[in-house]
């Protein structure tokens, strides 16, 4: 397999497409578990297409450009899990080919080949949540472009050009898709300072270019009277940004132990090679620093999940490729690479399926739970309190209380006048036909808002139905 990908031709592109299809084939037809976050992305698009305003009418911490993308997805496909995963696969293929372009165009290895692309493609399937159309996946392509621009600046022999601002610009765009991407502006400043002759004016250009897309997005919300919501709900809301759990740590270890181990061996092999020039050595160090900042971005994410460490994949793919490219024996690299491929497939498949019992499931707490009342009240406009929102899969969501982390600020304070005003306003605009009260917060809310209480009856425990 490695021998074939050492050849630099169009046939390798076709083969990568075939491998991508084979990697995704076992999960076609809604075979993958639906995640709570995934359903939230679908609902963001649905509510925006109903005319609600982002961050004001729709409470979510999904980035503005990701929200717009999900709006287009809902407009074209609705809540179709298969189409979301198909678009995700297309984006992964584009990223893989672009990563190969970066490695070969910048001569980061001693030979031009498709081996880095092969491992990039494999690693982008190392956990089943990588197969989802997540904000970080949408952000990743712009991070790869920023990575290429930074490498281009280091490669220049005549000094840094004014086009260095592109590094900050693409990181700024990536941030609008996925907020933790902003940490890479510090990576850009650091590596440009260490490995180029960048001056103060050019450094300010990078920072201003990073702020420019965010500023224009702020202006858009400002002129729509939504600036405060944009700032407090999304841009500066880090209170709910990180949730560290033992299960999350276990999932990260299961997913990344083997790739990280091989990448460390790759680093050792590459830095022992005497054939690399000064630029290549600096480029390798840049990638290592990129990997470090990937871990920092994980700790700023909303969910401690394997896919939220996706920014680590370029680092892993390159150094794993370096490990195999510089492996001197003939058959051992082929056997080891095939074994690596099989192990990744094993981890992905059995992390998604309960074949070895629930203790081996990846993202066990993030999966959508079956809602016992969902079939009975299918196709109605419903509202669910709490994190698990399976009922929305086969029903329309009422109100804009999408993220419970944000919504509970109102529902957990039933004696706060402003909270009651917000709840009443949201319900009046989009009255739920059915309320599933998993958090048991509605009794106090209805007690303090008699007008709402008069509209509902409770035929079952923790279920409220709108009177006809």
């Amino acid at each position: 397999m490695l021998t074939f990908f050492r050849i630099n031709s169009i046939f390798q592109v076709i083969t990568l497409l075939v491998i991508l299809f084979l990697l995704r084939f076992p999960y076609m037809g809604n075979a993958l578990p639906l995640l709570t976050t995934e359903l939230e992305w679908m609902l963001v698009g649905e509510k925006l297409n109903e005319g609600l305003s982002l961050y004001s009418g729709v409470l979510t911490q999904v980035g503005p450009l990701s929200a717009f993308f999900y709006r287009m997805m809902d407009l074209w496909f609705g809540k179709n899990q298969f189409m979301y995963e198909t678009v995700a696969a297309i984006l992964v293929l584009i990223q893989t080919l672009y990563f190969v372009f970066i490695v070969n165009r910048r001569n980061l290895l001693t030979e031009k080949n498709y081996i880095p692309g092969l491992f990039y493609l494999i690693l982008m399937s190392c956990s089943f949540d990588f197969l989802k159309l997540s904000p970080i996946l949408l952000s990743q392509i712009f991070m790869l472009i920023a990575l290429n621009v930074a490498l281009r600046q280091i490669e220049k022999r005549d000094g840094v050009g004014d086009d260095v601002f592109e590094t900050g610009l693409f990181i700024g765009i990536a941030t609008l898709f996925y907020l933790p991407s902003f940490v890479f502006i510090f990576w850009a400043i650091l590596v440009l300072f260490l490995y180029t002759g960048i001056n103060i004016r050019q450094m300010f250009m990078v920072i201003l270019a990073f702020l420019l897309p965010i500023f224009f997005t702020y202006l858009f919300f400002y002129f729509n009277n939504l600036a405060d919501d944009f700032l407090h709900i999304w841009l500066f809301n880090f209170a709910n940004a990180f949730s560290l759990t033992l299960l999350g740590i276990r999932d990260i270890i299961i997913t990344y132990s083997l790739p990280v181990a091989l990448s460390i061996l790759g680093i050792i092999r590459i830095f022992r090679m005497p054939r690399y020039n000064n630029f290549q050595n600096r480029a390798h160090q840049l990638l290592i620093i990129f990997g470090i900042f990937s871990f920092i971005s994980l700790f700023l994410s909303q969910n401690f999940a394997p896919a939220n460490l996706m920014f680590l994949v370029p680092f892993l793919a390159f150094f794993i490729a370096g490990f195999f490219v510089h492996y001197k024996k003939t058959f051992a690299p082929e056997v080891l690479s095939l074994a690596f491929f099989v192990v990744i497939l094993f981890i992905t498949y059995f992390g998604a399926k309960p074949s070895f019992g629930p203790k081996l499931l990846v993202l066990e707490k993030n999966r959508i739970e079956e809602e016992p009342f969902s079939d009975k009240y299918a196709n109605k406009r419903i509202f669910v309190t709490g994190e698990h929102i399976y009922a929305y899969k086969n029903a329309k969501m009422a109100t804009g209380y999408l993220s419970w982390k944000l919504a509970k600020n109102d529902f957990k304070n039933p004696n706060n006048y402003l909270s009651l005003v917000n709840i009443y306003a949201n319900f009046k605009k989009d009255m739920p036909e059915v309320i599933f009260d998993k958090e048991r917060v509605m009794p106090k809310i209805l007690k303090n808002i008699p007008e709402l209480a008069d509209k509902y009856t409770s035929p079952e425990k923790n279920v409220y139905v709108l009177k006809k």
Side-chain angles (χ1 to χ4, degrees), residues 351-362:
K353 304 290 183 178
S355 303
F356 290 130
K359 290 185 178 180
L360 294 180
L361 291 178
V362 174

Side-chain angles (χ1 to χ4, degrees), residues 26 45 47 51 96 103 178 200 211 346 358 371 406 415 465 467:
K47 299 306 292 184
T96 300
V103 175
Y178 181 65
I200 297 297
L211 294 174
F346 179 89
E371 171 57 61
L406 299 172
N415 297 319
V465 179
K467 295 177 183 177

Side-chain angles (χ1 to χ4, degrees), residues 447-460:
K447 180 181 177 181
N448 291 335
I449 310 179
E451 186 174 342
L452 281 183
D454 292 338
K455 295 179 182 295
Y456 287 93
T457 181
S458 182
E460 300 169 78

Side-chain angles (χ1 to χ4, degrees), residues 169-448:
L169 179 65
F170 286 113
I171 295 174
I173 295 172
T175 300
L176 292 174
F177 280 100
Y178 181 65
L179 184 58
S181 305
F182 82 89
V183 301
F184 285 93
I185 190 61
F186 301 104
W187 161 81
I189 293 170
L190 178 62
V191 297
L192 290 171
F193 176 77
L194 290 176
Y195 302 121
T196 70
I198 192 169
N199 57 43
I200 297 297
R201 180 183 64 84
Q202 292 167 330
M203 190 71 76
F204 274 109
M205 285 177 60
V206 173
I207 296 172
L208 289 174
F210 164 74
L211 294 174
L212 196 63
I214 300 173
F215 175 71
F216 278 115
T217 305
Y218 169 78
L219 287 182
F220 171 81
F221 283 91
Y222 177 81
F223 287 116
N224 285 278
N225 298 317
L226 300 170
D228 289 341
D229 299 306
F230 172 74
L231 295 175
H232 298 137
I233 299 296
W234 182 71
L235 189 59
F236 296 131
N237 188 354
F238 291 100
N240 298 315
F242 177 63
S243 177
L244 177 63
T245 64
L246 291 177
L247 279 176
I249 295 173
R250 187 207 65 169
D251 293 344
I252 295 291
I253 292 173
I254 289 173
T255 303
Y256 289 99
S257 292
L258 179 60
V260 168
L262 276 180
S263 66
I264 292 172
L265 294 176
I267 291 172
I268 294 171
R269 282 188 183 276
I270 286 177
F271 278 92
R272 282 181 176 179
M273 293 296 295
R275 290 180 290 174
Y276 287 111
N277 59 35
N278 186 43
F279 159 70
Q280 290 170 319
N281 286 326
R282 287 181 294 168
H284 300 159
Q285 294 168 27
L286 177 149
L287 281 167
I288 293 174
I289 299 173
F290 190 91
I292 294 171
F293 275 85
S294 300
F295 279 102
I296 298 173
S297 71
L298 173 66
F299 286 92
L300 294 173
S301 65
Q302 294 185 28
N303 191 12
F304 204 73
N308 284 345
L309 197 49
M310 191 181 293
F311 290 141
L312 189 64
V313 169
F315 160 81
L316 294 174
F318 175 77
F319 285 106
I320 291 173
F323 170 75
F324 285 105
V325 165
H326 297 302
Y327 207 114
K328 295 181 180 179
K329 295 183 180 181
T330 306
F331 295 107
E334 298 287 347
V335 175
L336 284 175
S337 62
L338 185 60
F340 174 77
F341 181 65
V342 171
V343 170
I344 293 297
L345 283 179
F346 179 89
I347 292 173
T348 306
Y349 185 81
F350 292 108
K353 304 290 183 178
S355 303
F356 290 130
K359 290 185 178 180
L360 294 180
L361 291 178
V362 174
L363 294 169
E364 187 175 348
K365 296 295 184 181
N366 297 84
R367 299 170 184 236
I368 291 292
E369 294 181 353
E370 291 288 339
E371 171 57 61
F373 303 117
S374 59
D375 293 333
K376 183 176 180 180
Y377 298 107
N379 300 319
K380 292 186 177 292
R381 299 193 69 82
I382 67 172
F383 172 62
V384 180
T385 63
E387 297 284 353
H388 297 287
I389 52 177
Y390 176 83
Y392 289 142
K393 182 180 180 181
N394 299 314
K396 290 287 186 179
M397 179 187 173
T399 80
Y401 286 115
L402 181 51
S403 170
W404 183 247
K405 290 181 180 179
L406 299 172
K408 68 182 180 182
N409 294 330
D410 284 341
F411 286 90
K412 294 288 186 178
N413 295 288
N415 297 319
N416 182 284
Y417 177 76
L418 185 57
S419 295
L420 294 175
V421 169
N422 289 337
I423 293 170
Y424 181 73
N426 276 280
F427 272 60
K428 191 173 181 180
K429 284 190 295 185
D430 190 5
M431 193 71 70
E433 295 179 84
V434 184
I435 300 172
F436 297 145
D437 186 22
K438 295 183 178 182
E439 295 293 314
R440 297 178 174 87
V441 295
M442 290 307 298
K444 291 183 179 179
I445 297 296
L446 294 176
K447 180 181 177 181
N448 291 335

Side-chain angles (χ1 to χ4, degrees), residues 17 20-21 23-32 34 38 41-42 69-70 73 76-95 121 124-125 128-134 137-138:
L17 178 60
L20 176 64
F21 176 78
L23 286 169
R24 304 295 172 111
F25 181 76
Y27 311 108
M28 295 178 69
N30 294 333
L32 281 177
L34 184 68
E38 182 183 9
W41 306 329
M42 295 178 181
F69 193 90
Y70 295 135
M73 289 293 296
W76 296 330
F77 308 114
K79 290 186 290 189
N80 188 319
Q81 184 179 349
F82 172 74
M83 290 308 304
Y84 273 71
E85 291 167 5
T86 300
V87 173
I90 294 171
L91 292 178
V92 168
L93 180 63
I94 293 171
Q95 291 179 20
L121 193 63
M124 288 298 284
S125 301
F128 80 90
D129 57 332
F130 275 72
L131 313 182
K132 307 294 187 178
L133 188 60
S134 60
L137 178 64
L138 298 172

